[in-house]
Amino acid sequence: MASLNEVLEGKSICICAGSGGVGKTTTSAAIASGMAAQGLRVCVLTIDPAKRLADSLGLKELGNEARRVDPTLFEAQGVEMKGELWAMMLDAKATFDELIARQAPDEESRERVLNNRIYQQISSALAGSQEYMAMEKLFALHTEGEFDLLVLDTPPARNALDFLDAPKRLTQFIEGKSLRVFMKPTGLAAKVTGRGVSVALSVFKKIVGFDLLADLAEFFNAFSGMVDGFQARAKRVNKLLADRETCFLVVCGPQGEPIDEAVYFHRKLVEAKLPFGGVVVNKVHYPADELKGDIEDLPETLADKLGDPDLAKRVAANFADYQALAERDAHNIDHLASELRTSVVIRVPHLDEDVHDLAGLAQIDRYLFATAEERVEMAAGRA
Ligand SMILES: Nc1ncnc2c1ncn2[C@@H]1O[C@H](COP(=O)(O)OP(=O)(O)O)[C@@H](O)[C@H]1O
Ligand SMILES: [Mg+2]
């Protein structure tokens, strides 16, 4: 079985994708810190870190800029940090603003769009804009070339596939019919300047407090000059995602439904010709193989040790439940590996506590970056 190190060899982008709550943010942060510890300059682009994880990465505010995680914090955890870990939290709105600033032909049209009320609404509400902006920021960071490896966490989309379509959806919106209607001389903008309507509009203006139509017209006019630039850039973003230096990891849980979703997601990646690297199954229940045969005797053995037969019975029942879960997980993971026809199935156990600091990430890394032999030992519960 290939290890994560082999999968990431020579990659400059690693994208952790999967459904919500499975551990994408945790896995992204752990991969980034593990690769940085090995000597690379790594930046993790997180989307929605839990507050305590954000705090421990030094991500107190958005900012939309990468910050270096204090290296002495790793020393304090006994982790040797040979490289550099940087982290940033995606600010979709700020990324959109940066994109406008880049695409605008001049200062004036840039300001016109940025200050436009329609833009201000659209930039934060546009369907898929968070997904698209994650890709956009990734592309911008990649182009700047400051890092050896960029690790991208993906947004908690309702549907794990949303972000795959995001670039397309944004360009479709920009070049779409909705805009044409406004931009054509015979379009809505022209029609509504007719008399009766202008009365209605002035009433409307009173109600909403600003001249909606003027803002709309201005927005679409300023935006129309940028359509080509947007399209060209979206193409380059797509090209980067499909590049050999990019690698998609599917993160999932060990239960039936997450496994099915991972299978589906993998298929979509393959169809979209995006480079699939492997799958991380997080929060796995590991079996305690050496005890397996003795489950029947367990209550007695425990009663001796605990001196309380009732408690012993309950502990034994709990253990049997856990073993059943472990068997179910193992079965699901086998199924997943055969469906995906991949040898890269990396298991990470369900730790006793949430992962909210560098120590927690280091613990996840023990499993993520284990060699084949180490993994066999860990799976048997001996490590
Ligand atoms: N292996 C694990 N063991 C225990 N808790 C975990 C593990 N991985 C993630 N968690 C916890 O599960 C929750 C969800 O993880 P998160 O990475 O935020 O998921 P996602 O980004 O996919 O929504 C967090 O509270 C996190 O600390
Ligand atoms: Mg997340």
Coordinates of all heavy atoms in Angstrom, one line a residue, residues 13-92:
I13 N 0.2 21.0 -5.0 CA -1.2 21.3 -4.5 C -1.8 20.0 -4.0 O -1.8 19.0 -4.7 CB -2.0 21.9 -5.6 CG1 -1.5 23.4 -5.9 CG2 -3.5 22.0 -5.2 CD1 -2.2 24.1 -7.0
C14 N -2.4 20.1 -2.9 CA -3.2 18.9 -2.4 C -4.5 19.4 -1.9 O -4.6 20.4 -1.1 CB -2.4 18.3 -1.2 SG -3.4 17.1 -0.3
I15 N -5.6 18.9 -2.5 CA -7.0 19.3 -2.2 C -7.7 18.3 -1.4 O -7.9 17.1 -1.9 CB -7.7 19.7 -3.5 CG1 -6.9 20.8 -4.2 CG2 -9.1 20.2 -3.2 CD1 -7.5 21.2 -5.6
C16 N -8.2 18.6 -0.3 CA -8.9 17.7 0.6 C -10.4 17.9 0.4 O -10.9 18.9 0.7 CB -8.6 17.8 2.0 SG -6.9 17.5 2.4
A17 N -11.1 16.9 -0.2 CA -12.5 17.1 -0.6 C -13.3 16.0 0.1 O -12.8 14.9 0.4 CB -12.6 17.0 -2.1
G18 N -14.6 16.2 0.2 CA -15.5 15.2 0.8 C -16.6 15.9 1.5 O -16.7 17.2 1.5
S19 N -17.6 15.2 2.0 CA -18.8 15.8 2.6 C -18.5 16.4 3.9 O -17.4 16.2 4.5 CB -19.9 14.7 2.7 OG -19.5 13.5 2.2
G20 N -19.4 17.2 4.4 CA -19.2 17.9 5.6 C -19.1 17.1 6.9 O -19.6 16.0 7.0
G21 N -18.2 17.5 7.8 CA -18.1 16.9 9.1 C -17.2 15.7 9.2 O -17.0 15.1 10.2
V22 N -16.7 15.3 8.0 CA -15.9 14.0 8.0 C -14.4 14.3 8.5 O -13.7 13.4 8.9 CB -15.8 13.4 6.6 CG1 -17.2 12.8 6.3 CG2 -15.3 14.3 5.6
G23 N -14.0 15.6 8.5 CA -12.7 15.9 9.0 C -11.8 16.5 7.9 O -10.6 16.3 8.0
K24 N -12.4 17.2 6.9 CA -11.5 17.8 5.9 C -10.6 18.9 6.4 O -9.4 18.9 6.1 CB -12.4 18.5 4.8 CG -13.3 17.5 4.0 CD -14.0 18.3 2.9 CE -15.0 19.3 3.5 NZ -16.2 18.7 4.1
T25 N -11.2 19.7 7.3 CA -10.4 20.8 7.8 C -9.2 20.2 8.7 O -8.1 20.7 8.6 CB -11.3 21.8 8.6 OG1 -12.3 22.3 7.8 CG2 -10.5 22.9 9.2
T26 N -9.6 19.3 9.5 CA -8.6 18.6 10.4 C -7.5 18.0 9.5 O -6.3 18.1 9.8 CB -9.3 17.6 11.3 OG1 -10.4 18.2 12.0 CG2 -8.3 17.0 12.2
T27 N -7.9 17.2 8.5 CA -7.0 16.5 7.7 C -6.1 17.5 6.9 O -4.9 17.2 6.9 CB -7.7 15.6 6.7 OG1 -8.6 14.7 7.4 CG2 -6.8 14.7 5.9
S28 N -6.6 18.5 6.4 CA -5.8 19.5 5.7 C -4.8 20.1 6.6 O -3.6 20.2 6.2 CB -6.7 20.7 5.1 OG -7.9 20.2 4.7
A29 N -5.2 20.5 7.8 CA -4.2 21.1 8.7 C -3.1 20.1 9.1 O -1.9 20.4 9.2 CB -4.9 21.6 9.9
A30 N -3.5 18.8 9.3 CA -2.6 17.8 9.7 C -1.6 17.5 8.5 O -0.4 17.3 8.8 CB -3.3 16.5 10.1
I31 N -2.1 17.4 7.3 CA -1.2 17.1 6.2 C -0.2 18.3 6.1 O 1.0 18.0 5.9 CB -2.0 17.0 4.9 CG1 -2.8 15.7 4.9 CG2 -1.1 17.0 3.7 CD1 -3.7 15.4 3.7
A32 N -0.7 19.5 6.2 CA 0.2 20.6 6.0 C 1.3 20.6 7.1 O 2.4 20.8 6.8 CB -0.6 21.9 6.1
S33 N 0.9 20.4 8.4 CA 1.9 20.4 9.4 C 2.8 19.2 9.3 O 4.0 19.4 9.5 CB 1.2 20.5 10.8 OG 0.6 19.3 11.1
G34 N 2.3 18.1 8.8 CA 3.2 16.9 8.7 C 4.2 17.2 7.6 O 5.4 16.8 7.7
M35 N 3.8 17.8 6.4 CA 4.7 18.0 5.3 C 5.7 19.1 5.7 O 6.9 19.1 5.3 CB 3.9 18.4 4.0 CG 3.1 17.2 3.5 SD 4.1 15.7 3.1 CE 4.8 16.2 1.5
A36 N 5.2 20.1 6.5 CA 6.1 21.2 6.9 C 7.2 20.6 7.8 O 8.4 20.9 7.7 CB 5.3 22.3 7.6
A37 N 6.8 19.7 8.7 CA 7.7 19.1 9.7 C 8.8 18.4 8.9 O 10.0 18.4 9.4 CB 7.0 18.2 10.6
Q38 N 8.5 17.9 7.8 CA 9.5 17.2 7.0 C 10.5 18.1 6.2 O 11.4 17.6 5.6 CB 8.8 16.2 6.0 CG 8.1 15.1 6.7 CD 7.4 14.2 5.6 OE1 8.0 13.9 4.6 NE2 6.2 13.7 5.9
G39 N 10.2 19.4 6.2 CA 11.1 20.3 5.6 C 10.6 21.2 4.5 O 11.3 22.0 4.0
L40 N 9.3 21.1 4.2 CA 8.8 21.9 3.1 C 8.2 23.2 3.7 O 7.9 23.3 4.9 CB 7.6 21.2 2.4 CG 8.0 19.9 1.7 CD1 6.8 19.4 0.8 CD2 9.2 20.1 0.7
R41 N 8.1 24.2 2.8 CA 7.4 25.4 3.1 C 5.9 25.2 2.6 O 5.7 25.1 1.4 CB 8.0 26.5 2.3 CG 7.6 27.9 2.8 CD 8.7 28.9 2.4 NE 8.5 30.1 3.2 CZ 8.0 31.3 2.7 NH1 7.7 31.3 1.4 NH2 7.8 32.3 3.4
V42 N 5.0 25.0 3.6 CA 3.7 24.6 3.3 C 2.7 25.7 3.8 O 2.8 26.3 4.8 CB 3.3 23.3 4.0 CG1 2.0 22.8 3.5 CG2 4.4 22.2 3.7
C43 N 1.7 25.9 3.0 CA 0.6 26.8 3.4 C -0.7 26.0 3.4 O -1.1 25.4 2.3 CB 0.5 28.0 2.5 SG -0.8 29.1 3.1
V44 N -1.5 26.0 4.5 CA -2.8 25.4 4.5 C -3.8 26.5 4.4 O -3.8 27.5 5.1 CB -3.1 24.5 5.7 CG1 -2.8 25.2 7.0 CG2 -4.5 23.9 5.7
L45 N -4.7 26.3 3.4 CA -5.8 27.3 3.2 C -7.0 26.7 3.7 O -7.6 25.8 3.2 CB -5.9 27.5 1.6 CG -6.9 28.4 1.0 CD1 -6.9 29.7 1.8 CD2 -6.6 28.6 -0.4
T46 N -7.4 27.2 4.9 CA -8.6 26.6 5.6 C -9.8 27.4 5.3 O -9.8 28.6 4.9 CB -8.4 26.5 7.1 OG1 -8.4 27.8 7.6 CG2 -7.1 25.8 7.5
I47 N -11.0 26.7 5.4 CA -12.2 27.4 5.1 C -13.0 27.7 6.4 O -13.4 28.8 6.7 CB -13.1 26.5 4.2 CG1 -12.3 26.1 3.0 CG2 -14.4 27.3 3.8 CD1 -12.1 27.1 1.9
D48 N -13.2 26.7 7.2 CA -14.0 26.8 8.4 C -13.5 26.1 9.6 O -14.1 25.2 10.1 CB -15.4 26.3 8.1 CG -15.4 24.8 7.8 OD1 -14.3 24.3 7.4 OD2 -16.4 24.1 8.0
P49 N -12.3 26.5 10.0 CA -11.7 25.8 11.1 C -12.5 26.1 12.4 O -13.0 27.2 12.6 CB -10.3 26.4 11.3 CG -10.4 27.8 10.7 CD -11.4 27.6 9.6
A50 N -12.6 25.0 13.2 CA -13.3 25.2 14.5 C -12.4 26.3 15.3 O -11.2 26.4 15.0 CB -13.3 23.9 15.3
K51 N -13.1 27.0 16.1 CA -12.4 28.2 16.7 C -11.1 27.8 17.4 O -10.1 28.5 17.2 CB -13.4 28.9 17.7 CG -12.8 30.2 18.1 CD -13.7 31.0 19.0 CE -13.0 32.3 19.5 NZ -11.6 32.0 20.0
R52 N -11.1 26.7 18.1 CA -9.9 26.4 18.9 C -8.8 25.9 18.0 O -7.6 26.2 18.2 CB -10.2 25.3 19.9 CG -11.0 25.8 21.1 CD -10.9 25.0 22.3 NE -11.6 23.7 22.1 CZ -11.5 22.7 22.9 NH1 -10.8 22.7 24.0 NH2 -12.2 21.6 22.6
L53 N -9.1 25.3 16.9 CA -8.1 24.9 15.9 C -7.5 26.2 15.3 O -6.3 26.4 15.1 CB -8.6 24.0 14.8 CG -7.6 23.5 13.8 CD1 -6.5 22.7 14.5 CD2 -8.2 22.7 12.7
A54 N -8.4 27.1 14.9 CA -8.0 28.4 14.3 C -7.1 29.1 15.3 O -6.0 29.6 14.9 CB -9.2 29.3 14.0
D55 N -7.4 29.1 16.5 CA -6.6 29.8 17.5 C -5.2 29.2 17.6 O -4.2 29.9 17.6 CB -7.2 29.7 18.9 CG -8.4 30.7 19.1 OD1 -8.6 31.5 18.2 OD2 -9.2 30.5 20.0
S56 N -5.2 27.9 17.6 CA -3.9 27.2 17.8 C -3.0 27.4 16.5 O -1.8 27.2 16.6 CB -4.0 25.8 18.2 OG -4.7 25.1 17.2
L57 N -3.7 27.7 15.4 CA -2.9 28.0 14.2 C -2.6 29.5 14.1 O -2.0 29.9 13.1 CB -3.6 27.5 12.9 CG -3.8 26.0 12.7 CD1 -4.7 25.7 11.5 CD2 -2.4 25.4 12.4
G58 N -3.0 30.2 15.1 CA -2.7 31.7 15.0 C -3.7 32.4 14.1 O -3.3 33.5 13.7
L59 N -4.8 31.8 13.7 CA -5.7 32.4 12.8 C -6.8 33.2 13.5 O -8.0 32.7 13.5 CB -6.3 31.3 11.9 CG -5.4 30.6 10.9 CD1 -6.1 29.4 10.3 CD2 -4.9 31.6 9.9
K60 N -6.4 34.3 14.1 CA -7.4 35.0 14.9 C -8.4 35.8 14.1 O -9.6 35.9 14.5 CB -6.7 35.8 16.0 CG -6.0 34.9 17.0 CD -5.9 35.6 18.3 CE -5.2 34.6 19.3 NZ -3.9 34.1 18.8
E61 N -8.0 36.3 13.0 CA -8.9 37.0 12.2 C -8.8 36.5 10.7 O -7.8 35.8 10.4 CB -8.7 38.5 12.3 CG -7.3 38.9 11.8 CD -6.5 39.5 13.0 OE1 -6.4 38.8 14.0 OE2 -5.9 40.5 12.8
L62 N -9.7 37.0 9.9 CA -9.7 36.5 8.5 C -8.4 37.0 7.8 O -7.5 36.3 7.5 CB -11.0 37.0 7.8 CG -12.2 36.1 8.1 CD1 -13.4 36.8 7.7 CD2 -12.1 34.8 7.4
G63 N -8.4 38.3 7.4 CA -7.2 38.9 6.8 C -6.9 38.4 5.4 O -6.3 39.2 4.6
N64 N -7.3 37.2 5.0 CA -7.0 36.7 3.7 C -5.5 36.7 3.3 O -5.2 36.7 2.1 CB -7.8 37.5 2.6 CG -8.3 36.6 1.5 OD1 -8.6 35.4 1.7 ND2 -8.5 37.1 0.3
E65 N -4.7 36.6 4.3 CA -3.3 36.5 4.0 C -2.7 35.3 4.8 O -3.1 35.1 5.9 CB -2.6 37.8 4.5 CG -2.2 38.7 3.4 CD -1.7 40.0 3.9 OE1 -0.7 40.0 4.7 OE2 -2.3 41.0 3.6
A66 N -1.7 34.7 4.2 CA -1.0 33.6 5.0 C -0.2 34.1 6.1 O 0.5 35.2 6.0 CB -0.2 32.8 4.0
R67 N -0.3 33.4 7.3 CA 0.6 33.8 8.4 C 1.4 32.5 8.8 O 0.8 31.4 8.8 CB -0.3 34.1 9.6 CG -1.2 35.3 9.4 CD -0.9 36.4 10.3 NE -1.6 37.6 9.9 CZ -2.8 37.9 10.4 NH1 -3.3 37.1 11.3 NH2 -3.5 38.9 10.0
R68 N 2.6 32.8 9.2 CA 3.4 31.7 9.7 C 3.0 31.2 11.1 O 2.8 32.0 12.0 CB 4.9 32.0 9.6 CG 5.7 30.9 10.0 CD 7.1 31.0 9.6 NE 7.9 29.9 10.0 CZ 9.2 29.8 10.1 NH1 9.9 30.9 9.8 NH2 9.7 28.7 10.5
V69 N 2.8 29.9 11.2 CA 2.6 29.4 12.6 C 3.9 29.4 13.4 O 4.9 28.9 12.9 CB 2.0 27.9 12.5 CG1 1.6 27.4 13.9 CG2 0.7 27.9 11.6
D70 N 3.8 30.0 14.5 CA 5.0 30.1 15.4 C 5.7 28.8 15.6 O 5.2 27.8 16.1 CB 4.5 30.6 16.7 CG 5.7 30.9 17.7 OD1 6.8 30.6 17.3 OD2 5.4 31.3 18.8
P71 N 7.0 28.7 15.1 CA 7.7 27.4 15.1 C 8.0 26.9 16.5 O 8.1 25.7 16.7 CB 9.0 27.7 14.3 CG 9.1 29.1 14.2 CD 7.7 29.7 14.4
T72 N 8.1 27.8 17.5 CA 8.4 27.4 18.8 C 7.2 26.6 19.4 O 7.4 25.8 20.3 CB 8.6 28.6 19.8 OG1 7.5 29.4 19.8 CG2 9.8 29.4 19.3
L73 N 6.0 26.8 18.9 CA 4.8 26.0 19.3 C 5.0 24.5 19.1 O 4.6 23.7 19.8 CB 3.6 26.5 18.7 CG 3.1 27.9 19.0 CD1 1.9 28.3 18.2 CD2 2.9 28.1 20.5
F74 N 5.7 24.2 18.0 CA 5.9 22.8 17.6 C 7.0 22.2 18.6 O 6.8 21.1 19.0 CB 6.4 22.6 16.2 CG 5.3 23.0 15.2 CD1 5.3 24.3 14.6 CD2 4.3 22.1 14.8 CE1 4.3 24.7 13.8 CE2 3.3 22.5 14.0 CZ 3.3 23.8 13.4
E75 N 8.0 23.0 18.8 CA 9.0 22.5 19.8 C 8.4 22.1 21.1 O 8.7 21.1 21.7 CB 10.1 23.6 20.0 CG 11.1 23.6 18.9 CD 11.8 25.0 18.9 OE1 12.1 25.5 20.0 OE2 12.1 25.5 17.8
A76 N 7.5 23.0 21.5 CA 6.8 22.8 22.8 C 6.0 21.4 22.8 O 5.8 20.8 23.8 CB 5.8 23.9 23.1
Q77 N 5.6 21.0 21.6 CA 4.9 19.7 21.5 C 5.9 18.5 21.2 O 5.4 17.4 21.0 CB 3.9 19.7 20.3 CG 2.9 20.8 20.4 CD 1.9 20.5 21.6 OE1 1.8 19.4 22.1 NE2 1.3 21.6 22.1
G78 N 7.2 18.9 21.2 CA 8.1 17.8 20.9 C 8.1 17.4 19.4 O 8.6 16.4 19.0
V79 N 7.6 18.3 18.6 CA 7.6 18.0 17.1 C 8.8 18.8 16.5 O 8.9 20.0 16.7 CB 6.3 18.5 16.4 CG1 6.4 18.4 14.9 CG2 5.1 17.8 17.0
E80 N 9.6 18.1 15.8 CA 10.7 18.8 15.1 C 10.2 19.4 13.8 O 9.7 18.7 12.9 CB 11.8 17.8 14.8 CG 13.1 18.5 14.4 CD 14.2 17.6 13.8 OE1 14.0 16.4 13.8 OE2 15.2 18.1 13.3
M81 N 10.2 20.7 13.7 CA 9.7 21.4 12.5 C 10.9 21.8 11.6 O 11.5 22.8 11.9 CB 8.9 22.6 13.0 CG 8.3 23.5 11.9 SD 7.4 22.8 10.6 CE 5.9 22.1 11.5
K82 N 11.1 21.0 10.6 CA 12.2 21.3 9.7 C 11.9 22.4 8.7 O 12.7 23.0 8.2 CB 12.6 20.0 9.0 CG 13.3 19.0 9.9 CD 13.9 17.9 9.1 CE 14.3 16.7 10.0 NZ 14.0 15.4 9.3
G83 N 10.6 22.5 8.3 CA 10.2 23.5 7.3 C 9.4 24.6 8.0 O 9.7 25.0 9.1
E84 N 8.4 25.1 7.2 CA 7.6 26.2 7.7 C 6.2 25.9 7.5 O 5.8 25.5 6.4 CB 7.9 27.5 7.0 CG 9.3 28.0 7.3 CD 9.6 29.3 6.4 OE1 8.7 29.9 5.8 OE2 10.8 29.6 6.3
L85 N 5.4 26.1 8.5 CA 3.9 25.9 8.3 C 3.3 27.3 8.3 O 3.5 28.1 9.2 CB 3.3 25.1 9.4 CG 1.8 25.0 9.4 CD1 1.3 24.2 8.1 CD2 1.2 24.2 10.6
W86 N 2.6 27.6 7.2 CA 1.8 28.8 7.1 C 0.3 28.4 7.1 O 0.0 27.4 6.6 CB 2.2 29.6 5.9 CG 3.6 30.1 5.9 CD1 4.8 29.4 5.9 CD2 4.0 31.5 6.0 NE1 5.8 30.2 6.0 CE2 5.4 31.5 6.0 CE3 3.3 32.7 6.0 CZ2 6.1 32.7 6.0 CZ3 4.0 33.9 6.0 CH2 5.4 33.9 6.0
A87 N -0.5 29.3 7.5 CA -1.9 29.1 7.5 C -2.7 30.3 7.1 O -2.3 31.4 7.4 CB -2.4 28.5 8.8
M88 N -3.8 30.1 6.4 CA -4.7 31.3 6.2 C -6.1 30.8 6.2 O -6.4 29.6 5.8 CB -4.3 32.0 5.0 CG -4.5 31.3 3.7 SD -4.4 32.5 2.3 CE -5.9 33.3 2.4
M89 N -7.0 31.7 6.5 CA -8.4 31.4 6.4 C -9.0 32.1 5.2 O -8.8 33.3 5.1 CB -9.1 31.8 7.7 CG -10.2 31.0 8.1 SD -11.2 31.6 9.5 CE -10.0 31.9 10.7
L90 N -9.7 31.4 4.4 CA -10.3 32.0 3.2 C -11.3 33.0 3.6 O -12.2 32.8 4.3 CB -10.9 30.9 2.3 CG -11.5 31.5 1.1 CD1 -10.5 31.8 0.0 CD2 -12.6 30.7 0.5
D91 N -11.2 34.2 3.0 CA -12.2 35.2 3.0 C -12.7 35.4 1.6 O -12.0 36.0 0.8 CB -11.6 36.5 3.6 CG -12.6 37.7 3.6 OD1 -13.6 37.6 3.0 OD2 -12.3 38.6 4.4
A92 N -13.8 34.8 1.3 CA -14.3 34.7 -0.1 C -14.6 36.1 -0.6 O -14.2 36.4 -1.8 CB -15.6 33.9 -0.1

